[in-house]
Amino acid sequence: MLWPMIAIALGFAGIAVLGVLAVRVFIEVRRLAHQVGVASERIQRAGEDLERAAVPLASSAHLHKRG
């Protein structure tokens, strides 16, 4: 009777450990998703800044080609 009880206790402990690890993975995935969102917003803003900065340069280069 002792061995079946030990087996059940170990099985429960294994499932509990897997549950804790699943929660930790879920939390890390949410954190990573948030960081990816922030990074994509920064990249988008940098692209817009680059585009705004390129317009005057392109127009001045166009003027220098004519003259």
Side-chain angles (χ1 to χ4, degrees):
M1 188 68 168
L2 179 64
W3 291 110
M5 291 174 66
I6 291 174
I8 290 172
L10 288 175
F12 178 76
I15 291 173
V17 167
L18 288 176
V20 168
L21 292 175
V23 169
R24 289 181 64 186
V25 167
F26 176 73
I27 291 169
E28 290 299 321
V29 166
R30 286 188 59 190
R31 186 177 299 151
L32 177 64
H34 177 70
Q35 290 176 353
V36 167
V38 169
S40 67
E41 289 175 5
R42 287 181 182 171
I43 289 171
Q44 183 178 3
R45 276 187 269 142
E48 291 170 354
D49 291 345
L50 181 62
E51 193 173 332
R52 279 194 298 272
V55 169
L57 292 175
S59 64
S60 67
H62 183 67
L63 291 176
H64 288 303
K65 280 186 179 180
R66 285 186 180 180

